[in-house]
Amino acid sequence: MNDADVSKQIQQMVAFICQEAEEKASEISVSAEEEFNIEKLQLFESEKKKIRQEYEKKEKQVDIRKKIEYSMQLNASRIKVLQAQDDLVTSMREAAGKELLRISGDQSAYKKLLKELIIQSLLRLKEPAVILRCRKDDYAIVDSVLDSAKKEYATKAGVFPPEIVIDPNIFLPPAPSSFQDHSLSCSGGVVLASKDGKIVCENTLDARLDVVFRKKLPEIRRRLFSQVVD
């Protein structure tokens, strides 16, 4: 092999080594770039996760505020319903109280009413002997209808007329007035009890009015609630 051939082979080897070195350098560069991109991607994912967590946190806060606002609106509506109910019931009670006073002021009508109340009470108690209490002002009226009430009850119940004693010592509260607290008054009617006091039938006009209002309250509530919602 002459010198020219040797020189040519050396040049080829050098060229090969240089090419190989360039390829290695390129691989290293690509590898470094990929690592950089991966780190950048990880950082991006981390930031994205933080943003998502922050968004979810704010979304929960907004949801809680909405629930609180809705609860406050609902409570305000309920308060309006209850207030309107109280106002309506108070108004109706006042009107009914005036009507009761008007009835108890009409001697003829009130006399018939007291008799019916006594008969109803006797039918509920079904006792052979009872104690009756009434307002002091009603004592004479009750006494005047007692015999006929006992006979009518006996006919309806198919029993002997019961013994009825009007309590002369304890009376129901007087009629309500502007000077008398309504809670300490009685619009009229009677209270009957067994002689041992274990069975009591309160058949006053106020008690009957309470029963009527208790039956009407659900209807009143529905009507008022629909008005508030509308």
Side-chain angles (χ1 to χ4, degrees), residues 77-140:
S77 295
R78 285 174 178 164
I79 291 169
K80 285 182 181 178
V81 170
L82 293 173
Q83 186 60 54
Q85 175 188 311
D86 288 345
D87 292 344
L88 183 58
V89 169
T90 300
S91 175
M92 291 174 71
R93 278 188 177 278
E94 287 176 355
K98 289 176 182 178
E99 180 63 16
L100 291 179
L101 283 176
R102 188 191 66 77
I103 292 171
S104 61
D106 183 337
Q107 289 293 316
S108 177
Y110 187 52
K111 189 175 181 178
K112 291 179 182 178
L113 180 60
L114 280 175
K115 180 181 173 181
E116 288 301 320
L117 293 176
I118 293 168
I119 294 169
Q120 283 179 3
S121 301
L122 291 171
L123 288 168
R124 289 176 190 170
L125 290 174
K126 294 183 175 63
E127 291 286 317
V130 296
I131 298 170
L132 182 150
R133 286 175 182 158
C134 61
R135 295 186 308 187
K136 193 171 185 178
D137 292 342
D138 295 340
Y139 190 98

Side-chain angles (χ1 to χ4, degrees), residues 5-190:
D5 292 334
V6 171
S7 177
K8 187 176 180 180
Q9 285 183 356
I10 291 172
Q11 286 176 357
Q12 287 176 349
M13 287 177 63
V14 170
F16 175 77
I17 291 169
C18 287
Q19 184 181 354
E20 192 175 40
E22 286 178 1
E23 288 176 356
K24 291 288 183 184
S26 178
E27 286 178 7
I28 292 170
S29 177
V30 169
S31 177
E33 187 177 350
E34 285 178 352
E35 287 180 7
F36 175 75
N37 287 337
I38 290 170
E39 288 178 2
K40 191 162 74 171
L41 184 62
Q42 288 175 342
L43 183 62
F44 174 74
E45 288 296 330
S46 175
E47 287 297 320
K48 193 166 72 172
K49 186 177 180 181
K50 285 181 182 178
I51 292 169
R52 185 167 58 249
Q53 288 174 343
E54 189 66 26
Y55 173 77
E56 288 174 355
K57 183 179 177 182
K58 288 182 179 179
E59 195 176 40
K60 285 180 181 178
Q61 289 174 347
V62 170
D63 189 47
I64 291 170
R65 279 202 300 270
K66 283 182 179 178
K67 285 181 180 178
I68 292 172
E69 287 173 3
Y70 175 74
S71 178
M72 290 173 68
Q73 289 173 357
L74 190 60
N75 286 335
S77 295
R78 285 174 178 164
I79 291 169
K80 285 182 181 178
V81 170
L82 293 173
Q83 186 60 54
Q85 175 188 311
D86 288 345
D87 292 344
L88 183 58
V89 169
T90 300
S91 175
M92 291 174 71
R93 278 188 177 278
E94 287 176 355
K98 289 176 182 178
E99 180 63 16
L100 291 179
L101 283 176
R102 188 191 66 77
I103 292 171
S104 61
D106 183 337
Q107 289 293 316
S108 177
Y110 187 52
K111 189 175 181 178
K112 291 179 182 178
L113 180 60
L114 280 175
K115 180 181 173 181
E116 288 301 320
L117 293 176
I118 293 168
I119 294 169
Q120 283 179 3
S121 301
L122 291 171
L123 288 168
R124 289 176 190 170
L125 290 174
K126 294 183 175 63
E127 291 286 317
V130 296
I131 298 170
L132 182 150
R133 286 175 182 158
C134 61
R135 295 186 308 187
K136 193 171 185 178
D137 292 342
D138 295 340
Y139 190 98
I141 304 174
V142 170
D143 188 50
S144 69
V145 299
L146 210 53
D147 287 338
S148 60
K150 288 193 291 185
K151 288 177 184 177
E152 195 167 325
Y153 159 72
T155 302
K156 287 183 176 181
V159 296
F160 290 108
E163 177 192 352
I164 302 178
V165 177
I166 304 176
D167 193 334
N169 301 313
I170 302 175
F171 296 97
L172 300 182
S177 66
S178 55
F179 306 104
Q180 181 76 26
D181 186 347
H182 188 73
S183 61
L184 302 175
S185 64
C186 176
S187 298
V190 292

Side-chain angles (χ1 to χ4, degrees), residues 85 88-89 92 216-224:
Q85 175 188 311
L88 183 58
V89 169
M92 291 174 71
K216 284 187 176 181
L217 274 179
E219 179 186 342
I220 293 171
R221 288 195 187 100
R222 282 195 301 272
R223 192 186 343 152
L224 290 173

